């Protein structure tokens, strides 16, 4: 249930979840997320920001997306303290790696998994630094924690003060040791920029980690790039809408929601999962449909393809 | 397409005891399928079965005739009969059938005019690639074309026809096996493949008018054991597969230089559970090698494949992709199943 909600900088709301009976929640590692079943039937993935050592609660933090009619609006408008919420057990696609020094770089609300990482690294006595890029100081989430216990390891960069990521890069990107690890979370363009900068400075890709980049499905097509964005899938039959985050496939999201799907190869080569598209523009990632079929946009392989439109309505 | 009733059953166009669903049978019946090696059809009537239909195949004055293997008089199989210059003679009452399956003699009333009812129920037949091809129910509006075999008629190429080879399995499974490049290292190691060369390099399939094409490039040599040294080091073998749905596929193997070996795999659906494999081969090298050696080498390969195809379950080919698992090496198999599905075949396997 929701034990507390608090404003965390302009536009963000933190939600503290506890078990109704006060018992400990399942353990999680820094970087993990939970699926939250929101009022209205939406399911969204949110990273846990609170320290993994504290199993009495999970703290999530959600930014109000002005364009959204979905998850973030539901969190901001419909969640109330005391309300019961169904969530999944935590899953981690963004785990900390062994390393001599950890550079955490957050853009905006991307702070949430990195904050948990900072807590875990601090508790473990590891060497780390946290860079937090915001548009203005008013937007900073979890300011008290950042100023308090994490203290001098935190570097705040505000665009208003001329310190956006294009102008100021974390100094730690230069002269990185071979066992240094870099963790990124934030808007895709932001992560692209930092990744490119790090690679230009000799970081190899295996030491650069970001949740959105996690290759969940081996995607054969060459254009399957890092630009993956979240989108919504709607079922034509029930009208239910689900969010497909950058790091998960339509099939995974629908499968977990109990929507019956037909799957076989799960890599876009067999066509078992081809599903009729009612509305929206698929981003075809399969190699089973011909170019003509793809151009027709009548069917989509839900095991690996994504969407070019904000929402896809499928004949399910 | 109008469904002409079967002569043996006015209520259905299917032969009695058909092992195919009516829909699948009709789709298959409008295609050309080989039923015999043309060189084996001299004059004498010979027996064949296609899509559960018993056929008699004979030659008269050079022309091949394919008909239901049922005498129109009292239903005795003509394949049991004898022949003379004028046609095949039924063993029971001696009626004789000649060109076009027309009855040309009633021994018991030699002067009687012969009614049309006594003519055989014949099917269109053509000779191509050393085979006799038959179409049981031609679609007048869009007649099916014969498959194309590369190089068969090209100068410098030798034509070879392997003897027909029987498989207790479904033609679709056999053809899919022919297109399957991942099994070489597992079952063809006594003939051409290398058990240590199991990797399947990525390849793609391209849709064509009657099926698809796949160019598969790998280091798996096609020389038989003992001739491997003939390939230049690091030679990249190109195998071009071209399917003609439903059951014919050609494989053109690019040997070093301009040497080509073309294998036409024609799986003739005797029934849903029996297949007769016909394999015309064309090549422009090794021309002095006795054809018996070629037959023997290919027979070994067919046997290696047969062992697997006869064991596969379900016997028929699941066209619903979710019913079997697929790996990247299966791109051709996937294209094959998709192609069959597009042609309108049913799930094809629920035995
Ligand atoms: S499951 Fe094979 S293409 Fe989606
Ligand atoms: S390994 Fe493929 S059928 Fe057994
Ligand atoms: Fe084989």
């Amino acid at each position: 249930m929701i034990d507390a909600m608090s404003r965390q900088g302009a536009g963000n709301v933190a939600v503290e979840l506890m078990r109704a009976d006060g018992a400990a929640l399942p353990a999680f590692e820094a970087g993990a997320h939970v699926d939250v079943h929101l009022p209205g039937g939406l399911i969204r993935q949110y990273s846990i920001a609170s320290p993994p050592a504290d199993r009495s609660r999970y703290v999530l933090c959600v930014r109000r997306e002005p364009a959204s009619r979905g998850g973030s609006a539901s969190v901001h408008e419909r969640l109330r303290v005391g309300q019961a919420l169904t969530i999944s057990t935590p899953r981690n696609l963004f785990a900390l790696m062994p390393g001599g020094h950890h550079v955490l770089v957050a853009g905006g609300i991307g702070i949430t998994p990195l904050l948990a990482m900072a807590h875990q690294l601090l508790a473990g006595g590891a060497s780390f630094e946290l860079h937090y890029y915001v548009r203005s100081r008013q937007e900073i989430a979890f300011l008290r924690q950042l100023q308090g216990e994490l203290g001098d390891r935190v570097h705040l960069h505000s665009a208003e003060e001329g310190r956006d990521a294009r102008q100021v890069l974390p100094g730690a990107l230069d002269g990185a040791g071979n066992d240094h690890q870099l963790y990124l979370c934030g808007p895709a363009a932001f992560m692209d920029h930092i990744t490119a900068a790090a690679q230009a400075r000799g970081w190899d890709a295996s030491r650069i980690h970001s949740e959105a980049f996690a290759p969940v499905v081996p995607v054969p097509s060459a254009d399957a790039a890092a630009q993956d964005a979240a989108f919504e899938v709607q079922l034509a039959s029930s009208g239910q809408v689900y969010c497909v985050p950058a790091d998960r496939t339509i099939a995974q999201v629908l499968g977990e929601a109990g929507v019956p799907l037909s799957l076989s190869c799960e890599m876009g080569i067999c066509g078992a999962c081809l599903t009729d598209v009612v509305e929206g523009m698929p981003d075809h990632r399969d190699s089973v449909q011909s170019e003509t079929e793809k151009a027709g946009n009548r069917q989509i392989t839900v095991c690996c393809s994504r969407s070019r439109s904000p929402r896809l309505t499928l004949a399910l | 397409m109008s469904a002409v009733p079967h002569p043996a059953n006015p209520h259905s166009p299917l032969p009695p005891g058909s092992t195919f669903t009516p829909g699948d049978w009709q789709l298959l019946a409008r295609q050309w399928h080989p039923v015999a090696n043309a060189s084996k059809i001299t004059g004498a009537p010979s027996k064949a079965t296609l899509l559960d239909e018993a056929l008699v195949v004979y030659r008269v004055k050079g022309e091949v005739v394919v008909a239901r293997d049922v005498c129109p008089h009292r239903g005795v199989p003509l394949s049991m009969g004898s022949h003379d210059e004028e046609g095949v003679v039924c063993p029971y009452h001696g009626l004789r059938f000649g060109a076009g399956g027309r009855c040309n003699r009633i021994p018991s009333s030699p002067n009687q005019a012969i009614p049309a009812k006594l003519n055989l129920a014949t099917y269109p037949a053509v000779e191509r690639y050393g085979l006799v091809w038959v179409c049981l129910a031609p679609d007048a509006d869009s007649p099916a074309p014969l498959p194309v075999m590369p190089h068969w008629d090209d100068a410098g190429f030798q034509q070879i026809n392997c003897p027909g080879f029987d498989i207790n399995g479904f033609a679709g499974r056999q053809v899919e096996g022919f297109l399957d490049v991942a099994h070489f290292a597992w079952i063809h190691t006594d003939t051409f493949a290398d058990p240590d060369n199991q990797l399947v390099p990525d390849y793609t399939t391209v849709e064509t008018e009657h099926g698809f094409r796949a160019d598969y490039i790998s280091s798996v040599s096609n020389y038989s054991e003992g001739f491997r040294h003939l390939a230049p080091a690091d030679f990249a073998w190109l195998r071009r597969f071209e399917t003609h749905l439903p059951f014919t596929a050609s494989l053109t193997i690019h040997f070093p230089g301009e040497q080509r070996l073309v294998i036409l795999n024609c799986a003739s659906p005797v029934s849903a559970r029996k297949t007769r494999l016909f394999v015309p081969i064309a090549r422009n090298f090794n021309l002095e090698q006795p054809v018996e050696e070629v037959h023997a080498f290919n027979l070994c390969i067919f046997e290696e494949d047969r062992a697997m195809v006869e064991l596969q379950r379900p016997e028929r080919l699941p066209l619903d992709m979710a019913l079997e698992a697929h790996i990247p090496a299966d791109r051709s198999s996937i294209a094959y199943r998709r192609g069959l599905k597009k042609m309108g075949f049913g799930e094809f396997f629920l035995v």
Side-chain angles (χ1 to χ4, degrees):
Chain A
M1 60 178 283
I2 301 174
D3 188 53
M5 293 179 69
S6 60
R7 177 178 171 277
Q8 291 294 342
N12 305 322
V13 62
V15 181
E16 279 192 45
L17 302 173
M18 301 183 78
R19 279 181 53 139
D21 61 6
L25 288 158
F28 72 96
E29 279 173 32
H33 68 268
V34 285
D35 297 348
V36 180
H37 296 245
L38 294 169
L42 299 177
I43 301 178
R44 290 289 189 273
Q45 284 73 32
Y46 295 115
S47 297
I48 306 175
S50 48
D54 178 3
R55 290 181 48 196
S56 69
R57 62 196 180 129
Y58 296 157
V59 177
L60 317 176
C61 188
V62 179
R63 173 174 174 74
R64 169 112 207 198
E65 302 295 345
S68 154
R69 286 168 297 120
S72 82
S74 174
V75 169
H76 281 254
E77 287 162 15
R78 300 180 64 176
L79 295 192
R80 295 290 175 266
V81 172
Q83 197 172 332
L85 267 192
T86 305
I87 62 169
S88 69
T89 52
R91 251 190 320 257
N92 201 355
L93 296 171
F94 190 28
L96 282 167
M97 297 293 156
H101 183 68
H102 303 265
V103 183
L104 314 178
V105 185
I109 198 62
I111 187 67
T112 48
L114 299 186
L115 188 61
M117 288 181 169
H119 283 299
Q120 184 167 322
L121 292 165
L122 182 73
S127 157
F128 75 96
E129 58 188 271
L130 171 61
H131 295 264
Y132 185 7
Y133 288 86
V134 288
R135 253 167 299 186
S136 73
R137 285 191 176 261
Q138 282 82 59
E139 285 182 5
I140 294 173
F142 304 111
L143 184 62
R144 268 195 312 276
Q145 292 179 47
L146 293 169
Q147 285 174 335
E149 37 197 1
L150 297 167
D152 53 358
R153 292 183 174 84
V154 177
H155 308 267
L156 295 170
H157 309 281
S158 150
E160 264 183 11
E161 295 163 20
R163 297 182 63 81
D164 70 20
R166 303 214 176 262
Q167 284 149 330
V168 184
L169 284 167
L173 294 189
D174 299 310
N178 274 336
D179 60 349
H180 290 194
Q181 307 284 349
L182 177 61
Y183 304 85
L184 306 175
C185 191
F190 168 83
M191 294 195 291
D192 286 350
H193 176 68
I194 307 276
T195 304
Q199 284 181 329
R201 285 163 179 74
W203 286 74
D204 60 66
S206 64
R207 289 187 292 115
I208 305 176
H209 315 282
S210 63
E211 188 164 21
F213 284 76
V216 177
V217 183
V219 176
S221 65
D223 61 329
Q227 309 284 343
D228 291 353
F231 59 94
E232 292 176 340
V233 191
Q234 180 169 38
L235 310 188
S237 59
S238 64
Q240 282 259 31
V241 177
Y242 303 90
C243 174
V244 181
D247 59 334
R248 326 202 49 233
T249 66
I250 302 175
Q252 287 170 335
V253 170
L254 296 185
E256 267 159 41
V259 179
L261 295 174
S262 151
L263 290 177
S264 179
C265 71
E266 297 189 52
M267 49 183 139
I269 60 170
C270 79
C273 66
L274 277 169
T275 302
D276 286 347
V277 175
V278 178
E279 219 181 308
M281 175 69 72
D283 175 4
H284 298 288
R285 301 282 179 89
D286 62 289
S287 57
V288 65
Q289 296 192 88
S290 67
E291 290 312 316
T292 324
E293 287 171 318
K294 286 180 181 171
N297 289 324
R298 307 218 354 231
Q299 291 195 304
I300 182 172
T301 49
V302 295
C303 69
C304 64
S305 294
R306 306 192 65 83
S307 181
R308 292 191 198 284
S309 49
R311 179 179 288 189
L312 270 186
T313 306
L314 302 179
L316 283 172
Chain B
M1 183 186 52
S2 63
V4 184
H6 192 272
N9 180 1
H11 305 296
S12 157
L14 271 57
S18 166
T19 51
F20 292 96
T21 64
D24 287 351
W25 191 90
Q26 304 227 356
L27 284 174
L28 292 170
R30 60 208 270 190
Q31 305 290 331
W32 292 98
H33 304 279
V35 295
N37 275 331
S39 65
K40 289 280 183 295
I41 308 302
T42 47
S46 99
K47 201 176 154 60
T49 307
L50 177 63
L51 299 172
D52 295 299
E53 182 73 275
L55 303 173
V56 59
V57 187
Y58 64 91
R59 198 183 286 277
V60 58
K61 301 192 164 68
E63 176 211 343
V64 165
V65 179
V66 178
R68 283 186 68 227
D69 191 15
V70 174
C71 179
H73 177 231
R74 286 296 177 267
V76 163
L78 294 164
S79 57
M80 306 285 293
S82 56
H83 72 113
D84 61 21
E85 289 303 300
E86 302 299 323
V88 302
V89 179
C90 179
Y92 200 8
H93 308 94
L95 273 68
R96 188 179 63 200
F97 305 90
R102 282 182 296 279
C103 180
N104 58 20
R105 183 167 179 248
I106 306 173
S108 51
S109 327
N111 300 319
Q112 175 71 48
I114 294 171
K117 191 92 188 163
L118 277 182
N119 294 341
L120 296 183
T122 58
Y123 298 104
V126 290
E127 293 182 56
R128 193 83 188 91
Y129 314 125
L131 304 177
V132 177
W133 299 76
V134 183
C135 183
L136 292 185
D139 182 347
D141 299 335
S142 59
L146 274 184
V148 173
M149 175 168 183
H151 296 309
W152 177 265
D153 296 311
D154 290 0
F157 277 80
Q158 175 191 24
Q159 298 90 20
I160 303 172
N161 278 98
C162 294
F165 181 80
D166 290 318
I167 298 166
N168 274 313
F170 175 54
R173 287 281 195 188
Q174 192 283 331
V175 177
E176 192 183 76
F178 177 74
L179 300 170
D180 175 0
V181 291
H183 77 285
F184 295 169
W186 293 89
I187 67 162
H188 293 311
T189 50
D190 288 342
T191 45
F192 65 93
D194 173 0
D196 297 326
N197 191 349
Q198 303 165 358
L199 205 77
V200 173
D202 204 14
Y203 66 96
T204 53
T205 60
V206 183
E207 219 173 307
T208 59
E209 202 183 341
H210 301 291
F212 64 91
R213 179 175 62 239
D215 279 348
Y216 174 61
I217 300 170
S218 83
S219 57
V220 175
S221 154
N222 217 87
Y223 284 115
S224 51
E225 188 68 43
F227 293 91
R228 298 259 158 82
H229 60 278
L230 293 178
D234 299 325
F235 185 70
W237 291 81
L238 167 62
R239 287 178 170 82
R240 166 167 289 195
F241 291 92
E242 288 171 285
T243 61
H244 187 113
L245 300 172
F247 300 140
T248 305
S250 71
L251 165 60
T252 306
I253 303 165
H254 293 235
F255 277 71
E258 289 306 302
Q259 301 184 357
R260 299 287 177 271
L261 171 65
V262 189
I263 300 169
L264 192 67
N265 181 101
C266 314
S268 183
V270 173
S271 75
R273 298 192 183 85
K274 278 192 175 17
T275 298
R276 174 149 256 228
L277 178 64
F278 294 99
V279 180
I281 291 175
R283 61 177 183 180
N284 61 352
F285 62 101
N286 260 358
L287 304 182
E288 13 9 271
Q289 187 190 18
V291 293
E292 292 72 28
E293 281 186 23
V294 180
H295 292 174
F297 180 68
N298 282 279
L299 185 65
C300 294
I301 298 177
F302 303 162
E303 283 290 356
E304 289 165 343
D305 286 320
R306 183 173 70 125
M308 293 297 119
V309 171
E310 290 186 351
L311 291 171
Q312 283 178 288
R313 292 295 178 271
E315 294 170 73
R316 299 170 83 186
L317 189 68
L319 296 194
D320 176 343
M321 292 298 168
L323 294 176
E324 281 186 339
H326 307 281
I327 54 179
D330 293 331
R331 285 190 192 281
S332 284
S333 312
I334 291 163
Y336 181 55
R337 294 179 185 202
R338 271 172 66 78
L340 291 176
K341 206 163 169 180
K342 237 188 202 165
M343 284 178 84
F345 288 105
E347 293 309 344
F348 227 51
F349 72 99
L350 295 169
V351 190

